[in-house]
Amino acid sequence: MAATGESQPAKHQEVGHKSLLQSDALYQYILETSVYPREPEAMKELREVTAKHPWNLMTTSADEGQFLNLLLKLINAKNTMEIGVYTGYSLLSTALALPEDGKILALDINRDNYEIGLPIIEKAGVAHKIDFREGPALPLLDEMVDDVKFHGSFDFIFVDADKDNYLNYHKRLIDLVKIGGVIGYDNTLWNGSLVAPPDAPLRKYVRYYRDFVLELNKALAVDPRVEICQLPVGDGITLSRRIS
């Protein structure tokens, strides 16, 4: 509480938000000036609910959610996929951006987390756009790759899941996204650890997944089928636009 007794916005490090900016004050400025005033009420509610979850660091940051929402509108996306849902903040951002008949195939191994956000998604009136499937994504992706009707059928795919399978996902998703469509890979700057020296004191999970993120980044950089742009939004997001 401030001295006036009014509640102040929570600092981003307290609610699981991620930023590569060196200044917390600058990031807070971005949130309070450009993000929070424009954040739909349903997304604000889901963000606040997710902040109370013990795994809240897994959530998409508010500024990245805003970025995804605008990107989807810019590319006129209609048929999308999301791998890694958690409580559904980025999923809700996507659903709100899509037209009324838009669709999202949402894949996650934990339905319980998704159901934390589901009542808010339903209240926002966009649950009908979501086809949630519980379980590992790779077996379903293999089935889709084997069925030619799914080839080139997705306008946008967002991946925020197990980093050790990112390259495996890319090998399959490149067939499923349309030419001109976009795949967004989240966490591609991985806590800034990619340029840390070998003896840097990193959390165990950060150190373990770092090599997989490095592997993906190297592969995307030389993949002639896509053009890419890596942005320091949230924990880093790489947009890969299929060109062949």
Side-chain angles (χ1 to χ4, degrees):
M1 286 287 192
T4 60
E6 295 179 355
S7 177
Q8 296 296 308
K11 298 305 181 185
H12 69 275
Q13 63 267 36
E14 295 173 353
V15 295
H17 288 173
K18 294 159 285 190
S19 173
L20 294 165
L21 291 176
Q22 294 300 305
S23 167
D24 281 354
L26 182 58
Y27 184 56
Q28 199 66 25
Y29 169 81
I30 293 171
L31 293 176
E32 294 176 2
T33 302
S34 301
V35 180
Y36 290 158
R38 296 277 188 149
E39 186 179 34
E41 188 60 34
M43 290 182 64
K44 176 183 178 183
E45 183 179 357
L46 182 50
R47 173 171 56 82
E48 292 176 345
V49 168
T50 303
K52 301 173 184 176
H53 194 274
W55 302 341
N56 61 43
L57 279 172
M58 291 171 54
T59 192
T60 299
S61 62
D63 54 322
E64 186 175 8
Q66 183 186 61
F67 170 74
L68 291 172
N69 183 275
L70 183 58
L71 173 65
L72 287 158
K73 293 172 182 176
L74 288 171
I75 66 174
N76 295 312
K78 184 175 181 180
N79 191 38
T80 72
M81 184 192 307
E82 181 161 330
I83 302 176
V85 172
Y86 187 41
T87 61
Y89 187 81
S90 57
L91 187 64
L92 177 56
S93 177
T94 298
L96 289 170
L98 297 184
E100 185 63 19
D101 59 345
K103 298 297 180 185
I104 313 166
L105 177 60
L107 312 178
D108 200 288
I109 60 172
N110 190 325
R111 187 178 183 91
D112 290 342
N113 289 334
Y114 168 62
E115 290 184 345
I116 293 172
L118 184 56
I120 299 170
I121 294 171
E122 291 174 336
K123 185 167 63 174
V126 293
H128 65 282
K129 301 179 185 180
I130 300 168
D131 177 10
F132 180 85
R133 310 281 187 91
E134 183 179 27
L138 286 175
L140 179 58
L141 294 179
D142 284 336
E143 291 179 15
M144 297 174 74
V145 168
D146 288 341
D147 190 339
V148 68
K149 74 179 181 183
F150 291 110
H151 287 200
S153 63
F154 289 91
D155 305 309
F156 180 79
I157 302 172
F158 183 58
V159 184
D160 184 10
D162 42 334
K163 316 309 170 195
D164 45 346
N165 271 317
Y166 265 28
L167 199 52
N168 289 325
Y169 291 140
H170 183 68
K171 292 174 182 176
R172 294 157 173 80
L173 297 178
I174 195 66
D175 290 329
L176 301 178
V177 71
K178 71 178 185 181
I179 293 178
V182 176
I183 308 172
Y185 292 101
D186 201 20
N187 305 114
T188 58
L189 293 176
W190 200 230
N191 289 257
S193 67
L194 305 186
V195 294
D199 59 347
L202 301 175
R203 293 181 180 180
K204 186 176 180 180
Y205 81 94
V206 172
R207 184 176 298 280
Y208 174 76
Y209 287 114
R210 179 175 63 170
D211 287 345
F212 295 105
V213 177
L214 285 167
E215 181 182 34
L216 173 76
N217 290 342
K218 290 177 182 177
L220 292 179
V222 297
D223 189 337
R225 300 168 296 179
V226 297
E227 52 187 5
I228 67 172
C229 180
Q230 189 171 33
L231 300 169
V233 177
D235 191 29
I237 180 171
T238 299
L239 303 179
S240 303
R241 179 176 178 267
R242 184 182 173 188
I243 56 176
S244 67

